[in-house]
Amino acid sequence: MLELSLKRNKLSGLKNLSILTAMVCLLMSGGCRKETPIEAPDVEPEILQEEPFVYNSPFKKVEGPVKLAYLINNPNIEVYDEIEENDQYREMKLSISKLKDKNVEEIINSKISSLHQRLKEMELPPTRGIKKIIPDGSTLQSEYITTSMTFSYYNIISVNSVASRTYKTPDAKDYDNFVEYTDTITLDLKTGEEIILEDLFITDSNYKERLNELIRAYLNNEYAEDEYSEWYSSITLVAPFSGIKDTQKFMLTENALSLVIDYETPEFDTMNYYTRINIPYYDLQDILAIKERFYDSEDPIFDHEYDLSYTLIDYYHKRIKGERLNEKINGVQVYYESRYPNDLPLSIEEDFEVCRELVMKEIDRLSEIKNLNGYYFQESIASLIGDYIIFYTSKNIIDGNDNNVFTSEFRTYRMNGEILNLDDLFIEEYNYDEIIRTKLIESFPDGYEPDSSVINQLLQSLTFRINRTSIYFASMP
């Protein structure tokens, strides 16, 4: 383009030079003619290129290695204010409190308020084709603007503001058209600075390359490029996905980095809504630096002491495999399902194969009961949470006389395949027996008071799993 432009300007210049020469010759030959000013040739407008993204992070560098397996909570700092003009027009505002530095608190509340107000004042999002869905002359029927916190850990918060509106179009008779759009902001509670995508990861990491790989895998799993798929897709590509931008809109949640797909990502068809692609922290745990960059236990930023709590990150996601069975075996109706992650370590996967086996002895026993319809239900699941792998197997056996036995069993493993014992969860000399005994007795139904031998038998039978914030037990029937 530039080369052609230069040639064209050069030719235009030569042409004008020839005209000027002819005029000079004419004047010199004695002709009398009014002088005509020579117009400068038109200059082609400069085509502006998009400026490269330049960002100087205000946050400290983190070189790694890192590993994110759990979250440390902030105290309860959010304050909600709901405004309801009537049933059709409502808004919920968010602010924060309890920071030591009230100047920073004011800065943060100003940014949250601006986020909320910006969505409230946006008449329609600049979504492609929005005027076809909500044409001129449409009337607003209802509106709900809500701003809330999606993440509050490690001295940072993520805030999400959503505008939901319904419009009556000029030709509408029995239905309203709905539109919903969103915006987000993530903030450092220590400084009030906004955190962008790059700030979440270790310095000079290949985070965009990693995210793009995970997004492409997600899109493939969702059949996003298949126009005629028999499967329902929650997201649709209308142009090749070229990768995320430095300014990608996102929010943090308890288990995942949530990337917002809307009018700012036109290669996706989101109609008049928005959607999200959730990237589990598990897939990013070796480059996520939110703990190392923003959290300092020796430098408290809140104006009061509070109890710390730790939340294990749940790694359960859609990339699982397993099998399902629903058929009669020896006259017994059998319902069976098993699920486990694709990346389950091989040694533990072999253990799971044993845990999820059908108990044919029970099925054969039910089949020997004459003139009764027996049912056998079994579910076996393996999941990852924190630095642990959990096996869960439940069985419900019904013999046809309305007699049924329900059992649950757990196993908890370390990532290296080592089985975890209850002792391993507590510091030495901590008397957890009394706490578990008390909780067991509290779980009995009213009026049932077993003797100590039954209680001891149940305690001996306990198996356990780790949940995100607690330990969950199952006993013998």
Side-chain angles (χ1 to χ4, degrees):
M1 179 78 75
L2 179 59
E3 184 180 353
L4 291 173
S5 174
L6 286 172
K7 287 180 179 178
R8 190 158 54 244
N9 287 338
K10 182 177 179 182
L11 290 171
S12 178
L14 289 172
K15 179 180 178 182
N16 289 330
L17 181 59
S18 299
I19 293 171
L20 180 60
T21 304
M23 291 180 67
V24 170
C25 291
L26 183 62
L27 289 171
M28 290 177 67
S29 66
C32 182
R33 185 172 297 185
K34 185 177 179 181
E35 183 176 348
T36 303
I38 302 170
E39 295 182 1
D42 292 335
V43 178
E44 286 195 353
E46 182 182 359
I47 298 174
L48 298 176
Q49 300 295 324
E50 185 178 351
E51 292 285 338
F53 182 77
V54 178
Y55 176 65
N56 294 314
S57 176
F59 306 112
K60 68 179 183 181
K61 292 184 176 182
V62 177
E63 302 297 340
V66 296
K67 182 180 181 182
L68 187 71
Y70 61 91
L71 304 173
I72 301 177
N73 69 301
N74 299 328
N76 185 10
I77 59 173
E78 58 262 47
V79 178
Y80 290 102
D81 180 23
E82 189 148 12
I83 303 166
E84 187 170 348
E85 294 182 21
N86 52 55
D87 289 343
Q88 280 72 44
Y89 297 93
R90 296 178 295 157
E91 60 181 303
M92 185 171 68
K93 294 183 175 182
L94 168 71
S95 60
I96 67 160
S97 62
K98 303 178 183 176
L99 292 187
K100 275 185 182 179
D101 192 328
K102 296 304 175 184
N103 290 328
V104 170
E105 185 173 293
E106 186 177 343
I107 290 169
I108 290 173
N109 282 330
S110 176
K111 290 181 178 181
I112 294 173
S113 178
S114 295
L115 175 74
H116 181 96
Q117 198 64 25
R118 186 164 66 249
L119 259 72
K120 184 178 179 180
E121 294 174 356
M122 186 187 294
E123 292 186 5
L124 284 175
T127 307
R128 180 175 51 199
I130 192 69
K131 284 293 186 179
K132 189 173 183 180
I133 300 167
I134 314 291
D136 292 336
S138 299
T139 55
L140 182 64
Q141 299 296 298
S142 67
E143 175 183 66
Y144 188 27
I145 314 295
T146 175
T147 299
S148 60
M149 202 175 290
T150 64
F151 183 91
S152 183
Y153 298 92
Y154 289 134
N155 294 346
I156 60 179
I157 58 172
S158 265
V159 176
N160 178 215
S161 197
V162 178
S164 302
R165 288 172 169 167
T166 56
Y167 290 85
K168 178 77 73 179
T169 59
D171 58 348
K173 294 180 180 179
D174 300 323
Y175 64 92
D176 296 334
N177 282 351
F178 178 75
V179 62
E180 188 173 59
Y181 48 99
T182 190
D183 204 351
T184 65
I185 191 170
T186 298
L187 298 165
D188 173 23
L189 294 177
K190 187 173 183 178
T191 65
E193 294 279 358
E194 181 174 357
I195 297 167
I196 71 167
L197 195 61
E198 178 183 320
D199 297 322
L200 303 177
F201 302 97
I202 58 175
T203 306
D204 298 328
S205 71
N206 61 344
Y207 76 93
K208 282 201 288 187
E209 181 181 335
R210 176 81 66 87
L211 287 175
N212 287 334
E213 288 175 0
L214 293 167
I215 292 168
R216 289 188 179 98
Y218 173 86
L219 295 175
N220 183 62
N221 192 56
E222 291 293 312
Y223 301 95
E225 297 180 82
D226 191 346
E227 293 183 60
Y228 307 104
S229 172
E230 296 179 1
W231 297 88
Y232 170 76
S233 177
S234 62
I235 194 167
T236 303
L237 271 174
V238 293
F241 174 65
S242 58
I244 61 167
K245 300 179 176 64
D246 298 284
T247 54
Q248 169 67 45
K249 194 183 296 181
F250 74 93
M251 68 186 86
L252 299 173
T253 69
E254 288 190 337
N255 288 307
L257 169 63
S258 188
L259 305 175
V260 177
I261 306 301
D262 61 3
Y263 54 83
E264 293 185 359
T265 51
E267 63 266 48
F268 296 95
D269 179 14
T270 59
M271 300 178 66
N272 50 329
Y273 310 101
Y274 68 92
T275 189
R276 300 188 300 185
I277 296 178
N278 294 318
I279 308 294
Y281 292 143
Y282 176 70
D283 293 330
L284 304 167
Q285 65 177 167
D286 60 322
I287 59 173
L288 270 174
I290 56 176
K291 177 178 183 288
E292 291 77 8
R293 180 164 287 131
F294 300 105
Y295 184 73
D296 183 357
S297 61
E298 302 300 319
D299 185 17
I301 63 171
F302 303 101
D303 64 7
H304 66 292
E305 292 185 359
Y306 66 100
D307 292 331
L308 290 178
S309 67
Y310 298 79
T311 302
L312 293 176
I313 291 171
D314 188 347
Y315 297 152
Y316 183 81
H317 49 74
K318 297 180 74 171
R319 292 194 298 276
I320 57 174
K321 55 186 176 182
E323 61 183 283
R324 184 176 294 160
L325 180 69
N326 182 4
E327 63 181 48
K328 281 198 171 184
I329 300 177
N330 298 335
V332 177
Q333 188 64 50
V334 176
Y335 299 89
Y336 168 83
E337 185 172 349
S338 72
R339 302 187 301 276
Y340 56 103
N342 289 341
D343 47 3
L344 200 62
L346 183 59
S347 59
I348 298 178
E349 187 175 330
E350 291 170 353
D351 277 7
F352 186 62
E353 290 292 331
V354 175
C355 285
R356 72 191 189 106
E357 282 182 359
L358 282 171
V359 183
M360 290 303 301
K361 181 174 66 175
E362 286 293 341
I363 296 173
D364 290 341
R365 182 183 67 81
L366 289 173
S367 69
E368 292 171 359
I369 303 175
K370 302 299 182 185
N371 302 320
L372 290 176
N373 294 319
Y375 294 88
Y376 179 94
F377 302 84
Q378 180 174 323
E379 182 181 45
S380 298
I381 300 172
S383 59
L384 285 71
I385 186 167
D387 282 329
Y388 306 100
I389 300 169
I390 313 297
F391 289 177
Y392 165 61
T393 298
S394 67
K395 302 185 185 78
N396 194 11
I397 301 168
I398 304 173
D399 65 10
N401 280 322
D402 292 331
N403 297 320
N404 69 299
V405 176
F406 179 79
T407 62
S408 292
E409 183 180 356
F410 302 114
R411 288 192 193 181
T412 301
Y413 291 82
R414 299 184 192 274
M415 286 293 185
N416 62 5
E418 177 187 344
I419 193 81
L420 198 69
N421 297 312
L422 196 53
D423 286 347
D424 299 328
L425 298 180
F426 300 94
I427 59 174
E428 289 184 15
E429 301 178 359
Y430 181 72
N431 185 14
Y432 60 84
D433 288 341
E434 270 314 303
I435 293 176
I436 296 173
R437 177 182 289 269
T438 300
K439 290 292 181 184
L440 177 66
I441 293 171
E442 288 175 357
S443 71
F444 295 143
D446 292 340
Y448 179 62
E449 298 179 1
D451 59 33
S452 58
S453 64
V454 173
I455 292 174
N456 290 335
Q457 191 177 13
L458 290 170
L459 285 169
Q460 289 295 320
S461 73
L462 291 180
T463 59
F464 72 92
R465 64 157 296 162
I466 299 172
N467 288 351
R468 299 185 66 241
T469 58
S470 59
I471 311 170
Y472 189 83
F473 294 90
S475 75
M476 59 181 282

